[in-house]
Each structure stands twice: as structure tokens, then as C-alpha cells.
């Protein structure tokens, strides 16, 4: 009998099972591969785990980071990629690298750096799910880490000011969304009729942009001009998470 597997992750709102891209990626892959995960969402009565969220625990094994968690699931015979060719496997790695280089900085900025979004949505949402007194400290720490990550990858010459960095990361993100839309085309998933690792990563990155109700929404506005990517997110929410795509409620 397989050892039980528990995933600790940030919870959801706005019709999403999680607001956290990395958590969403792992949750989606588990659905695609049939991995029987028990999901424990972080709330204000539950101690935030050490290390990066999401965290997978199976007996005495503790794994964080989506790529490592997915590799572990594959070793347990939960493989969403078994029908992919070698070229498709290489394409998967290339597109994941593209997401992390071109889309992730703007996603982090939208959630954690853009002042109005952070103060009115991100900070209160996460603080409400973290036990006091960590709730006073951890959202700010996450915001600083997001900014540092953006500047680490985008803050060098010729982009010297934060305004220049912001303009560039949003240009890159919109270009990335356009490329993803072109690659998906009219297909249900990126490699045909069955979702794979790439679909899990794309969903994890796109769904929070698509669904969370922020006051500043330039990336969301661009995404909504690409109906095949919106349909892609809606289909996964409907068919794999059994969530209604019209759920646009405000955070609790």
C-alpha cells in the first residue's frame, strides 16, 4: 500500500483552489496524474510550515518546490507525461523556463509589489490566514522577497530605475502570454487532449492573474484578450477541481 501523501499549501478564493501559483501547479498536476494527495490549507489556526510552500510530506520525506514535488510524484508512478515524446519533454522544459523568466516577475509584482494591490488585497488576504503575531510580519517579508527576486533578475543595466524594471517586466509578461496563446491555439491542452506537466505550470501561473480581483489589473486585462487561455483555465477549474467558473466572490 502506498504511503499517504499530504500537501500543505495556501488556500483559495475567487473560485480558485489556491491563490498561490506554486501550490496551484502541484494541485493541478496531482489532479492530472491521479495522485491521491490530502491537501491541508494554511489558516490562522495552523502553524506555517518551515521552508517554501507548498510542502509535500510522505512518511518521513518532506519535499518543497513544485519541480521536486512533481518528480517525487512521478517516482510514485503518478506520471502525467508518460505519452510525451522526447521533443515534447524538451518543449515542456523550455516553456517552463519561459514562464519563470518572462511571466513570473510580473505575477510577483502584481501580487506583492504593486502598492494598491498589495495593501488592499494581498496583504489582508494572507494576513488573515496566518496566526498572530506572524500575520504582522510574514506578508511584508513575502513582499520584500518578491521585490528582491524581481530586481535580482531584472534590476541590472540597462534598467536602473524601478519604473524601468516595472515597464519591462510587464512587456515581457504580455509577450509571454501572447506566445502561450499562439502555442495553445484551438487545442484543449498544450499537447493535445490530455493535460501534462506544462499544463499544470501554465495553469498555476495564469489562474491567479485571471481570477483574483485586484484594483490594478493590467496583466489581467491583457490575459482576458486571449480567450483560449481563459477557456484553458476555466476548463481545468471545471473538470478537475469541480469549481464554478463564474465564482467571483470577494475574499472572506
Amino acid at each position: 500500500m502506498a504511503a499517504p501523501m499530504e500537501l500543505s499549501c495556501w488556500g483559495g478564493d475567487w473560485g480558485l483552489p489556491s491563490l498561490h501559483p506554486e501550490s496551484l501547479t502541484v494541485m493541478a498536476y496531482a489532479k492530472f496524474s491521479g495522485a491521491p494527495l490530502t491537501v491541508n490549507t494554511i489558516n490562522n489556526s495552523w502553524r506555517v510550515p518551515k521552508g517554501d510552500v507548498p510542502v509535500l510530506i510522505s512518511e518521513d520525506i518532506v519535499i518543497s518546490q513544485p519541480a521536486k514535488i512533481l518528480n517525487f510524484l512521478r517516482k510514485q508512478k503518478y506520471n502525467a507525461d508518460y505519452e510525451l515524446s522526447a521533443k515534447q519533454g524538451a518543449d515542456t522544459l523550455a516553456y517552463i523556463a519561459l514562464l519563470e523568466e518572462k511571466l513570473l516577475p510580473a505575477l510577483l509584482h502584481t501580487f506583492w509589489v504593486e502598492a494598491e494591490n498589495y495593501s488592499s488585497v494581498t496583504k489582508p488576504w494572507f494576513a488573515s490566514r496566518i496566526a498572530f503575531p506572524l500575520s504582522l510580519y510574514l506578508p511584508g517579508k513575502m513582499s520584500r522577497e518578491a521585490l528582491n527576486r524581481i530586481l535580482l533578475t531584472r534590476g541590472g543595466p540597462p534598467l536602473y530605475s524601478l519604473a524601468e524594471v516595472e515597464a519591462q517586466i510587464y512587456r515581457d509578461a504580455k509577450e509571454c502570454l501572447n506566445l502561450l496563446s499562439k502555442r495553445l491555439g484551438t487545442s484543449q491542452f498544450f499537447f493535445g487532449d490530455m493535460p501534462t506537466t506544462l499544463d499544470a505550470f501554465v495553469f498555476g501561473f495564469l489562474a491567479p492573474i485571471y481570477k483574483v480581483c485586484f484594483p490594478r489589473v493590467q496583466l489581467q486585462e491583457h490575459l482576458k484578450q486571449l480567450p483560449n487561455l481563459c477557456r484553458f483555465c476555466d476548463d481545468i477549474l471545471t473538470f478537475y477541481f469541480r469549481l464554478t467558473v463564474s465564482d467571483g466572490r470577494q475574499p472572506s
Side-chain angles (χ1 to χ4, degrees):
M1 183 177 178
M5 297 182 291
E6 295 188 3
L7 182 72
S8 298
C9 62
W10 293 105
D13 218 324
W14 290 282
L16 295 174
S18 175
L19 263 61
H20 187 238
E22 288 86 352
S23 298
L24 269 181
T25 296
V26 175
M27 294 168 76
Y29 183 87
K31 294 287 188 182
F32 299 162
S33 64
L37 297 185
T38 298
V39 176
N40 297 318
T41 57
I42 297 168
N43 58 51
N44 57 14
S45 64
W46 191 80
R47 188 167 63 88
V48 178
K50 294 180 180 179
D52 295 329
V53 177
V55 176
L56 180 72
I57 301 173
S58 181
E59 294 185 325
D60 58 346
I61 299 171
V62 179
I63 308 168
S64 61
Q65 300 178 11
K68 293 180 180 179
I69 294 174
L70 268 55
N71 283 336
F72 175 81
L73 294 177
R74 292 187 193 102
K75 291 177 182 178
Q76 309 308 307
K77 311 301 183 186
Y78 300 108
N79 188 355
D81 299 343
Y82 65 93
E83 291 187 351
L84 295 186
S85 66
K87 181 183 184 304
Q88 289 171 328
D91 286 348
T92 295
L93 296 177
Y95 273 97
I96 291 172
L98 178 73
L99 287 167
E100 293 177 343
E101 179 184 354
K102 298 294 187 181
L103 187 56
L104 181 59
L107 176 57
L108 291 172
H109 188 277
T110 297
F111 268 79
W112 295 103
V113 180
E114 207 303 313
E116 191 173 355
N117 290 350
Y118 175 72
S119 62
S120 65
V121 177
T122 309
K123 181 180 179 180
W125 192 93
F126 279 87
S128 71
R129 284 151 177 83
I130 303 169
F132 180 85
L134 270 181
S135 58
L136 302 178
Y137 163 74
L138 195 56
K141 178 176 181 288
M142 295 166 76
S143 176
R144 291 188 296 274
E145 288 174 347
L147 178 58
N148 288 339
R149 185 167 180 177
I150 292 169
L151 294 177
L152 184 65
T153 58
R154 288 290 189 275
L159 304 176
Y160 292 100
S161 73
L162 184 57
E164 289 176 315
V165 172
E166 290 174 358
Q168 184 62 53
I169 63 176
Y170 280 100
R171 282 195 297 269
D172 288 346
K174 291 173 183 178
E175 178 184 345
C176 180
L177 291 175
N178 292 341
L179 289 171
L180 290 172
S181 177
K182 183 177 180 180
R183 174 64 181 81
L184 180 62
T186 59
S187 299
Q188 184 175 9
F189 300 109
F190 280 88
F191 294 114
D193 296 332
M194 296 298 293
T196 65
T197 294
L198 179 57
D199 298 284
F201 272 90
V202 173
F203 173 75
F205 280 71
L206 294 191
I209 298 170
Y210 178 38
K211 291 293 186 179
V212 178
C213 296
F214 284 118
R216 302 293 294 272
V217 292
Q218 65 164 305
L219 203 56
Q220 184 183 81
E221 288 176 342
H222 188 82
L223 175 57
K224 288 185 175 180
Q225 295 172 17
L226 303 169
N228 62 337
L229 293 181
C230 297
R231 185 267 308 156
F232 168 84
C233 293
D234 287 337
D235 284 353
I236 290 174
L237 288 169
T238 300
F239 298 126
Y240 289 94
F241 291 96
R242 301 291 190 265
L243 295 172
T244 172
V245 299
S246 61
D247 188 350
R249 66 191 180 88
Q250 294 299 311
S252 55

